[in-house]
Amino acid sequence: MLALLFLVLGLGLIAWVTARMRAARFGGTGTARAHSLPAYHGWYVGLWTALPALIFLGIWATVSPGLITQAVLATPAAADLPAFGMERSAILSEARALANGSIQTAFNPQANALAPAYAQAITKYGVIGTILALVLAFAGGAYAFTRIKPDFRARTRVERLVMAALLVASLVAILTTVGIVASLLFESVRFFSMVSPVEFLFGTKWSPPASNMPASSGAFGAIPLFWGTIFIGAIIAMLVAIPLGLMSAIYLTQYAKPSTRSWMKPILEILAGVPTVVYGYFAALTVAPALRDFAVSIGISGASSESALAAGIVMGVMIIPFVSSMADDSIAAVPQAMRDGSLAMGATPSETIRKVLLPAALPGVVGGVLLAVSRAIGETMIVVMAAGLAANMTANPFASVTTVTTQIVQLLTGDQEFDSAKTLAAFALGLVLFVITLLLNIVALRVVKKYREAYE
């Protein structure tokens, strides 16, 4: 398949060169000036040669495995296969792997008997796909080549195709979001048919039953999970990230020398590239024990080695670059005339920063804070390693708590039955988290709009 793909692309390149050379002769024939440049004629013929064949190959790659399997099942060697079930699928998978050369021997003897039939079917449908793809490539190229004339509007056709491709690319994000929301809604509706929404949204006890147990045997009160997410990600982490990130951005843009900024800013942004599991190890092995010993030394009883404070502090350090980088760019983008005007009116540098630069850069600062909050809310590894899995509703920062994302991972880990309330609870948690994040975005956009209007 890969060789055929390169063959089609090669034919498209040949068509592009040939059509461009033919269109280049239009200027010397004494006829009227050509409507489009030779390159547009080349792209028109090249796209007509390659695109239909590539689209067919994409469809054929999806359809041909089913056709191959049906052809194998129609052979006498498949007569002794089980009618259905996992055993049948395993035998067919082994036979396919033998035919492809992925494995040398099979565990099931029936797979060895089916391997020749699979190899024959793969060869047969491979040849059919190759012939059809080449026919489409030559037919498309020939059709486009016959339309090359001085008055042909090749540029218009190519630009329309490019605009259509850009439109499809822009719709990918929208359609992906729609698909995510639809899947969350569908599974959440199934969950709420088993568990009361009131119990889920306002219950204070979280204890899902086993997958094979009825929903009534457990508790699905998600308030402790929501509180843990807010407590760690939106309170403790932000109390660390916002002051440090904002102050570092102010220092780098207003006080640091260019030589200092040139090495200090990249080092600060390295924090964003450290894997979260490394932060998790640091939180679990260094920060959490130190905080536990500190709590014991000041007389706080019941301090845990897995605490919200440990996870929140390390998470705040992790997202400092998100706040600092966007605040840095926003402050640096404030017009120099606003700085000079404030200083000329007698304001001190600190007053200029507090009353001119920060209000003018507020949209970017809010965007950085919002990005940091979203990053903190979605963090899982640090919480698992440093804060624990206990769904406790407590304001004690030295106690063990958990978050929504951590519980989603725990609910979906391992072999799960997607018709049980325990597994479907993960989708309900994801839907609520999506709604909360959406509301945060709306609030932030209103704040940004208000201050942007004030400084335009």
Side-chain angles (χ1 to χ4, degrees):
M1 182 62 72
L2 186 61
L4 182 57
L5 177 64
F6 281 111
L7 177 59
V8 170
L9 293 176
L11 291 175
L13 178 61
I14 294 172
W16 182 86
V17 173
T18 305
R20 192 177 185 278
M21 292 176 60
R22 179 178 178 181
R25 300 193 190 101
F26 292 157
T29 59
T31 57
R33 180 182 177 184
H35 174 273
S36 304
L37 293 174
Y40 286 105
H41 290 276
W43 279 112
Y44 180 77
V45 178
L47 290 173
W48 262 104
T49 302
L51 274 184
L54 292 177
I55 293 173
F56 168 77
L57 288 178
I59 298 174
W60 188 252
T62 304
V63 174
S64 60
L67 297 176
I68 293 172
T69 302
Q70 292 299 323
V72 171
L73 293 176
T75 60
D80 297 332
L81 281 175
F84 56 87
M86 296 296 295
E87 184 181 0
R88 175 192 178 98
S89 300
I91 293 172
L92 292 175
S93 297
E94 282 190 314
R96 186 184 303 110
L98 283 172
N100 291 330
S102 303
I103 60 175
Q104 300 300 320
T105 58
F107 177 78
N108 197 303
Q110 287 182 292
N112 293 316
L114 288 174
Y118 252 112
Q120 183 179 0
I122 290 173
T123 302
K124 173 184 175 182
Y125 285 99
V127 171
I128 293 175
T130 301
I131 293 174
L132 292 178
L134 293 179
V135 168
L136 283 174
F138 282 108
Y143 166 76
F145 198 80
T146 58
R147 306 197 67 186
I148 298 179
K149 298 177 182 178
D151 60 344
F152 179 65
R153 299 177 178 269
R155 185 186 67 183
T156 304
R157 303 297 178 88
V158 172
E159 289 179 348
R160 285 178 181 176
L161 181 61
V162 172
M163 288 181 63
L166 293 175
L167 177 61
V168 171
S170 64
L171 289 176
V172 168
I174 298 175
L175 295 177
T176 302
T177 304
V178 172
I180 292 173
V181 175
S183 63
L184 288 176
L185 284 173
F186 177 77
E187 302 296 344
S188 297
V189 168
R190 294 178 58 195
F191 170 74
F192 288 125
S193 66
M194 306 176 188
V195 178
S196 170
V198 176
E199 177 191 351
F200 178 77
L201 296 174
F202 301 102
T204 58
K205 183 179 179 182
W206 178 262
S207 180
S211 298
N212 57 354
M213 299 295 292
S216 58
S217 62
F220 290 93
I223 289 295
L225 307 184
F226 300 144
W227 166 246
T229 302
I230 295 172
F231 191 36
I232 295 176
I235 297 179
I236 299 177
M238 290 301 105
L239 288 176
V240 175
I242 293 176
L244 294 179
L246 191 56
M247 287 189 291
S248 64
I250 292 173
Y251 172 76
L252 290 174
T253 55
Q254 303 301 315
Y255 295 105
K257 296 179 181 179
S259 58
T260 304
R261 175 184 170 87
S262 64
W263 63 266
M264 199 169 185
K265 184 176 173 61
I267 290 178
L268 181 64
E269 293 181 345
I270 286 177
L271 292 174
V274 177
T276 57
V277 67
V278 176
Y279 283 111
Y281 278 122
F282 175 67
L285 301 179
T286 304
V287 178
L291 290 175
R292 180 196 57 200
D293 296 340
F294 170 75
V296 172
S297 66
I298 62 176
I300 299 177
S301 60
S304 174
S305 59
E306 296 179 334
S307 63
L309 187 59
I313 289 175
V314 176
M315 194 182 299
V317 172
M318 180 187 68
I319 60 179
I320 284 176
F322 293 92
V323 179
S324 176
S325 181
M326 294 198 68
D328 185 313
D329 296 339
S330 301
I331 294 173
V334 175
Q336 184 65 34
M338 296 183 68
R339 296 184 178 87
D340 297 340
S342 175
L343 296 173
M345 294 296 292
T348 63
S350 62
E351 290 174 339
T352 300
I353 292 171
R354 286 186 291 107
K355 298 182 178 181
V356 177
L357 298 183
L358 286 181
L362 189 63
V365 174
V366 172
V369 171
L370 178 62
L371 179 62
V373 171
S374 302
R375 181 69 177 85
I377 288 177
E379 176 55 37
T380 304
M381 186 58 67
I382 295 175
V383 179
V384 171
M385 301 180 69
L389 301 174
N392 296 323
M393 189 172 178
T394 176
N396 181 7
F398 296 98
S400 176
V401 296
T402 190
T403 62
V404 170
T405 54
T406 303
Q407 287 299 311
I408 291 175
V409 172
Q410 189 178 17
L411 292 171
L412 296 179
T413 300
D415 296 331
Q416 302 293 337
E417 298 178 359
F418 279 82
D419 57 353
S420 66
K422 177 184 176 182
T423 305
L424 295 176
F427 295 94
L429 290 173
L431 179 63
V432 175
L433 193 63
F434 174 83
V435 172
I436 292 174
T437 306
L438 180 62
L439 293 177
L440 286 174
N441 278 273
I442 293 174
V443 172
L445 288 174
R446 291 183 66 87
V447 173
V448 170
K449 183 179 179 181
K450 176 182 177 181
Y451 284 92
R452 179 175 291 169
E453 291 176 349
Y455 287 92
E456 281 181 345

